[in-house]
Amino acid sequence: MALALSAPNTPQSPALFPALAGLLVIGWSSGFVGIRYTNEQASVALLLFWRTLLSGLIMLPFALAIGPRLKLGAVASQMGFGVMAVFIYLGGFALAIEQRVPTGLVALIADLVPLAIAAMSQPLLGERLSRRQWLGTAIAVSGVLIVSFDSLSFGAAPLWAYGVTIGAMLVFAWASVLRRGRESLNMPVHQSLCIHSLTGAVLFGACALAQGGLAPPLTREFAIGMAWLVLIATFAAYSVYYTMLRLFPVAKVSAAIYLSPPVTMLWAWALFSEPLTAAMFSGLAVTLLGVWLTVRN
């Protein structure tokens, strides 16, 4: 849906893009950091249940009152995408953070979705990639491997947790490729995001019940974490993201999102004392080079 948007040919202040990009990077990276912060108070299933439930309920009146009438078939299609986009994708990297995979690495892998979509488009949709794009994808993946192998030396997370992050990213990319051309998935953002959130709430709620219950911790830290995740990581981040898609080219907006992993690494270092190493920044630089080769033009 985002790829269908185009930037208008209207004059813009030179300071507009840097200002919005800064807000986007802060909002986008705050999602990873917010999960890491709130996970100190509750399990991943419980915190994601409350995050998606609150987000969905806040958007529900607007989804019902504004936009086209919601039909059962369209809602069912959005629910199916919500399983992959929220429950598997969001739940996958949240689980990895819970297992203490470095937060910056999780952000780096999660933000490689556009590269995975480009790689899957050729076999699934017949969209041919250039040699430069394949080279860029390979370089970006090698950068992720550099960061991954360096973080393995910390010894805090099991090996399977790294695989969960990669698997969740690939599932979301696969779902994004399959949704192309499906009219039932083309609806206003506030409606689709509401359906995705409530679908995730049902599934995360079932997981939280199996682990003990749905009652939230009555602590100030949990309340702060929820406000952080709902208001900043969900509403603010997506609002800025879709505003930028209407004002600037898609590739330019994507380039801003790729700045979120280093910001996430800095947040995690400052707030949770997660280590920063030269190899992590080297791998990040290699990944950004690969991303640039893939998305330019």
Side-chain angles (χ1 to χ4, degrees):
M1 183 159 58
L3 296 178
L5 300 171
S6 60
N9 295 320
T10 56
Q12 297 166 357
S13 168
L16 182 60
F17 180 79
L20 290 177
L23 292 175
L24 179 63
V25 170
I26 292 173
W28 209 265
S29 61
S30 70
F32 304 97
V33 180
I35 288 175
R36 175 72 171 83
Y37 176 82
T38 315
N39 186 222
E40 302 287 343
Q41 304 295 316
S43 68
V44 157
L46 185 60
L47 74 88
L48 289 180
F49 164 71
W50 282 104
R51 173 187 177 173
T52 52
L53 180 65
L54 292 173
S55 300
L57 290 179
I58 292 173
M59 287 185 287
L60 184 58
F62 302 98
L64 295 175
I66 303 173
R69 183 178 178 181
L70 296 175
K71 298 181 180 180
L72 183 59
V75 171
S77 296
Q78 290 288 351
M79 289 176 64
F81 188 77
V83 171
M84 293 178 278
V86 176
F87 182 65
I88 296 179
Y89 178 62
L90 179 60
F93 73 68
L95 180 60
I97 291 174
E98 182 179 55
Q99 294 298 318
R100 294 301 180 260
V101 175
T103 312
L105 174 60
V106 175
L108 179 60
I109 295 174
D111 287 344
L112 289 181
V113 167
L115 292 184
I117 291 174
M120 292 181 183
S121 293
Q122 180 163 337
L124 294 178
L125 301 177
E127 297 180 359
R128 185 175 180 83
L129 299 182
S130 66
R131 291 182 179 179
R132 173 181 52 78
Q133 288 175 309
W134 279 118
L135 175 62
T137 301
I139 291 175
V141 171
S142 67
V144 172
L145 292 177
I146 292 173
V147 180
S148 301
F149 285 132
D150 184 63
S151 64
L152 284 174
S153 63
F154 304 152
L159 188 60
W160 62 264
Y162 293 84
V164 165
T165 310
I166 297 172
M169 181 270 293
L170 292 175
V171 166
F172 183 66
W174 177 69
S176 300
V177 171
L178 293 184
R179 71 174 285 175
R180 291 190 183 182
R182 296 189 60 180
E183 293 297 328
S184 61
L185 289 172
N186 292 330
M187 64 171 55
V189 174
H190 68 285
Q191 291 182 322
S192 60
L193 193 57
C194 176
I195 296 170
H196 297 168
S197 297
L198 293 178
T199 301
V202 172
L203 297 174
F204 289 127
C207 295
L209 276 175
Q211 294 178 355
L214 298 177
L218 300 179
T219 63
R220 182 184 65 177
E221 290 76 12
F222 186 80
I224 292 174
M226 280 299 105
W228 185 337
L229 289 171
V230 173
L231 299 179
I232 300 177
T234 301
F235 294 146
Y238 279 95
S239 297
V240 174
Y241 176 63
Y242 285 105
T243 297
M244 292 184 70
L245 286 175
R246 287 170 171 81
L247 296 175
F248 305 103
V250 174
K252 193 172 183 178
V253 179
S254 299
I257 290 178
Y258 287 123
L259 295 175
S260 70
V263 174
T264 304
M265 290 180 183
L266 293 175
W267 281 59
W269 169 74
L271 295 176
F272 314 117
S273 300
E274 291 190 6
L276 290 175
T277 66
M280 293 176 69
F281 282 102
S282 298
L284 180 63
V286 172
T287 300
L288 292 177
L289 172 62
V291 167
W292 176 76
L293 285 173
T294 304
V295 304
R296 71 186 179 96
N297 298 331

